[in-house]
Amino acid sequence: MGAEHSKNEEQRSMVFLRKRPKLPAWEDALLAGREPKSLLKRGLRYVSLSLIMKGMTSTPDFLWGLHEVQKLNLSHNQLVVIPPSLGKLDRLVVLNLGGNCLKCLPKEIGLLRNLKVLFVNMNCLKEVPAELSLCRKLEVLSLSHNCISQLPLSFTDLTSLRKLNLSNNRFVQIPLCIFALRSLDFLHLGSNKLENIAESIQYLVNLQIFIVENNNIRSLPRSLCHISTLELLNVDYNAIQTLPDELYLLRRLRRIAWNPMDKGLHIAHNPLSRPLPEVVEGGLDVLFNYLRDKKEHN
């Protein structure tokens, strides 16, 4: 009887162990008696913590006590909310929140005064807090693949911003605040609902890469032709029929480009009026010569 009872107990224990949910990595570490700080990695440049693809639906409380962390990666989880405690990590330089289910960011993000790189791509954001503009050191910002249709005017204060990705959102026009970001060298607004590019684009005097593919743009402004730094201009998949005669001024565009990764002029899949399709087939030099001659005879 005793042996049978022990056997039944052992079977029940095995069933319990099989049904026990798998613990996230940080909980395993804590149960093993390790300090949360032991999860930090100290590299040559940054003290970093990576919790990628841990299946998290909420952030662990101990995270907000790791004040020395400078690079934090919480991407590809199932986070719905980032708590105000984020503001405690004021040494953060790089923050990756991409691939979650965030509908908003806490206004305390503005307390991250050392932040230089922020990824919040592939979430469910409809707006961006105005307080983000307090992160004056921000250089790289990706908000792609969200549901954003406008930006706060306070974004004009992000004067250090060099790379901005707003692709796959719901912008009908380029937000006015962007034209004040004179340090921008990369601007991606592909796969939105843009119908035009404002003449104010000329104020982005350091722009090297400008991508507005897959929109509803019908024409390019003449002022765009004065951004002499442009090396990649992608207007594929739009509704463009004519090109400004001054386009030949963009001398850093080296070719008609077909590969998305190549620099040059991307102008495929537009209803260009004749004879532009045939001219484009001849290459960029042929196109520029055609536009130059056309301008001289007008």
Side-chain angles (χ1 to χ4, degrees):
M1 183 73 177
E4 185 178 345
H5 177 74
S6 296
K7 186 177 180 180
N8 289 338
E9 284 295 317
E10 184 178 346
Q11 288 176 340
R12 278 197 291 270
S13 297
M14 292 298 291
V15 170
F16 172 76
L17 288 173
R18 282 198 298 268
K19 288 184 177 180
R20 175 188 165 190
K22 186 178 180 180
L23 292 173
W26 67 87
E27 289 189 16
D28 276 339
L30 296 179
L31 285 175
R34 293 167 57 192
E35 285 289 328
K37 289 185 179 181
S38 69
L39 297 172
L40 296 176
K41 293 185 178 180
R42 300 180 184 275
L44 293 175
R45 295 187 63 191
Y46 301 123
V47 176
S48 63
L49 173 61
S50 178
L51 295 173
I52 306 174
M53 297 179 68
K54 301 298 183 185
M56 296 187 299
T57 55
S58 61
T59 51
D61 289 339
F62 77 79
L63 181 60
W64 315 118
L66 301 177
H67 300 293
E68 62 265 59
V69 67
Q70 295 168 287
K71 188 176 180 180
L72 177 60
N73 194 335
L74 300 175
S75 65
H76 300 289
N77 283 286
Q78 298 167 35
L79 300 175
V80 178
V81 173
I82 298 295
S85 303
L86 174 67
K88 295 178 180 180
L89 303 182
D90 55 5
R91 294 186 187 179
L92 277 181
V93 178
V94 180
L95 175 59
N96 191 341
L97 300 172
N100 280 287
C101 306
L102 302 175
K103 294 184 178 180
C104 62
L105 294 173
K107 63 181 181 180
E108 286 78 10
I109 199 168
L111 298 174
L112 307 181
R113 303 299 169 87
N114 291 302
L115 196 63
K116 290 186 178 181
V117 179
L118 175 61
F119 289 95
V120 205
N121 50 300
M122 293 186 289
N123 275 280
C124 306
L125 299 182
K126 290 186 177 180
E127 58 183 12
V128 184
E131 288 79 7
L132 182 58
S133 61
L134 297 174
C135 302
R136 303 290 169 81
K137 294 182 180 180
L138 198 62
E139 297 178 5
V140 178
L141 174 60
S142 178
L143 296 167
S144 70
H145 293 83
N146 278 284
C147 305
I148 305 168
S149 58
Q150 57 185 359
L151 295 177
L153 285 175
S154 60
F155 262 45
T156 55
D157 294 333
L158 295 176
T159 53
S160 297
L161 199 62
R162 294 186 300 108
K163 302 187 188 302
L164 177 60
N165 191 338
L166 298 172
S167 63
N168 290 272
N169 275 286
R170 298 179 180 176
F171 291 99
V172 175
Q173 60 184 11
I174 300 177
L176 290 175
C177 59
I178 288 180
F179 302 127
L181 306 178
R182 306 296 167 84
S183 296
L184 275 187
D185 58 42
F186 175 98
L187 177 58
H188 194 340
L189 277 155
S191 298
N192 277 281
K193 300 179 179 180
L194 302 179
E195 295 186 356
N196 61 69
I197 300 172
E199 294 284 347
S200 301
I201 193 71
Q202 65 183 315
Y203 297 126
L204 301 183
V205 294
N206 292 300
L207 199 59
Q208 296 176 27
I209 296 177
F210 184 37
I211 303 172
V212 284
E213 64 177 347
N214 195 28
N215 278 284
N216 301 310
I217 297 167
R218 296 172 186 170
S219 63
L220 299 179
R222 282 185 164 79
S223 62
L224 178 66
C225 305
H226 298 294
I227 306 178
S228 60
T229 51
L230 269 182
E231 297 178 1
L232 189 158
L233 173 59
N234 190 336
V235 294
D236 285 348
Y237 294 97
N238 274 284
I240 297 170
Q241 296 184 23
T242 60
L243 297 173
D245 295 342
E246 295 84 356
L247 197 67
Y248 68 86
L249 295 173
L250 299 178
R251 295 184 178 89
R252 291 199 183 182
L253 297 180
R254 299 297 185 188
R255 69 186 85 172
I256 300 291
W258 305 99
N259 188 314
M261 302 302 294
D262 286 345
K263 290 184 177 180
L265 174 62
H266 297 253
I267 197 166
H269 304 284
N270 279 281
L272 295 173
S273 58
R274 297 179 68 88
L276 283 175
E278 292 79 7
V279 174
V280 169
E281 285 290 329
L284 192 65
D285 288 341
V286 174
L287 174 62
F288 279 3
N289 288 334
Y290 168 80
L291 293 173
R292 188 185 291 110
D293 291 344
K294 184 167 173 281
K295 180 175 174 58
E296 288 175 358
H297 287 91
N298 281 345

